[in-house]
């Protein structure tokens, strides 16, 4: 049996018996644990900016902006950090259905605004129910919007390599089982 020695950055060797707590080494300079999971801020759309409209704008202006930009929702804001809600195709339809002369204010719905450092896994239920969340930075500035489509794309990019490895594994098993006996495989 050979022993394995770990070397610190200073060059000091640690024997395997040393029970040095390495949790402190797994933290950033700020003393907080290193980021492990995907956060809202890791998604490009969370920091790509957001199209806003004022509560005083007309509903036609909202519709025009959504059509021109191929958006399904707009942030309704009365200032850079004063979030009032959102207008969506559904909220516009409901507002206009209830009152043909509905204003944009009649179509504003509550919307979630979450910090960019929220773990994405913790936001999935909200995204499933609401289809989108607005993202704010540490200064409460709305920096973007994350939709269910953004999350599907991100998870697709992350999962694809693992899915391909699984397919390769199944393919190799099939090739081996068709060309070799169990005895031949176990003797390798």
């Amino acid at each position: 049996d050979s022993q394995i020695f770990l070397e610190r950055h200073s060059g000091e060797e640690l024997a395997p018996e040393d029970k040095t707590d390495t949790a402190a080494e797994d933290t950033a300079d700020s003393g907080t644990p290193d980021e492990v999971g995907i956060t809202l801020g890791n998604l490009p759309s969370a920091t790509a900016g957001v199209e806003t409209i004022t509560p005083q704008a007309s509903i036609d202006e909202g519709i025009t902006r959504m059509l021109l930009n191929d958006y399904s929702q707009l942030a309704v804001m009365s200032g850079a950090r004063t979030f009032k809600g959102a207008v969506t195709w559904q909220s516009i339809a409901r507002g206009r259905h209830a009152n043909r002369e509905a204003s944009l204010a009649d179509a504003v719905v509550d919307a979630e605004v979450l910090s960019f450092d929220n773990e994405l896994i913790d936001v999935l239920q909200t995204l499933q129910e609401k289809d989108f969340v607005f993202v704010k930075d540490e200064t409460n500035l709305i920096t973007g919007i994350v939709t269910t489509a953004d999350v599907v794309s991100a998870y697709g990019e992350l999962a694809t390599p693992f899915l391909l490895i699984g397919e390769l594994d199944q393919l190799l098993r099939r090739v081996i089982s068709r060309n070799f006996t169990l005895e031949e495989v176990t003797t390798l």
Side-chain angles (χ1 to χ4, degrees):
D1 286 327
S2 61
Q3 285 194 328
I4 297 174
F5 290 91
L6 303 175
E7 190 174 311
R8 286 188 189 255
H9 294 289
S10 64
E12 171 188 349
E13 287 186 353
L14 292 175
E17 304 83 47
D18 289 348
K19 305 263 190 221
T20 307
D21 183 15
T22 59
E25 295 173 14
D26 293 337
T27 60
D29 293 338
S30 66
T32 58
D34 287 341
E35 195 175 284
V36 176
I38 300 172
T39 64
L40 281 174
N42 292 130
L43 300 177
S45 63
T47 56
V50 64
E51 182 78 21
T52 66
I53 193 164
T54 65
Q56 298 78 27
S58 71
I59 203 163
D60 289 332
E61 182 182 346
I63 291 169
T64 300
R65 285 191 189 190
M66 290 168 71
L67 284 171
L68 287 176
N69 295 298
D70 195 27
Y71 292 150
S72 298
Q73 56 280 123
L74 296 173
V76 180
M77 300 183 70
S78 58
R81 290 178 175 79
T82 310
F83 184 80
K84 298 292 186 182
V87 290
T88 66
W89 287 118
Q90 189 176 41
S91 72
I92 290 170
R94 282 187 181 148
R96 284 269 171 101
H97 184 70
N99 175 9
R100 288 227 179 262
E101 302 302 316
S103 67
L104 184 81
D106 297 325
V108 174
V109 294
D110 290 334
E112 296 285 332
V113 179
L114 301 173
S115 177
F116 70 97
D117 59 359
N118 277 27
E119 293 283 333
L120 187 56
I121 194 86
D122 298 333
V123 180
L124 293 179
Q125 183 67 37
T126 302
L127 282 167
Q128 183 181 9
E129 293 168 4
K130 309 239 179 189
D131 295 326
F132 66 96
V133 296
F134 290 99
V135 182
K136 66 180 179 177
D137 66 11
E138 67 278 358
T139 67
N140 288 329
L141 183 68
I142 304 296
T143 59
I145 184 171
V146 171
T147 66
T148 51
D150 298 322
V151 174
V152 167
S153 176
Y155 276 115
E157 288 176 17
L158 289 171
T160 297
F162 297 102
L163 295 172
L164 291 174
I165 289 171
E167 288 178 18
L168 277 172
D169 177 62
Q170 292 299 315
L171 182 60
L172 285 172
R173 288 175 187 268
R174 196 174 312 132
V175 168
I176 290 171
S177 68
R178 288 182 182 162
N179 295 298
F180 299 98
T181 65
L182 183 58
E183 266 182 29
E184 291 173 316
V185 173
T186 56
T187 58
L188 295 176

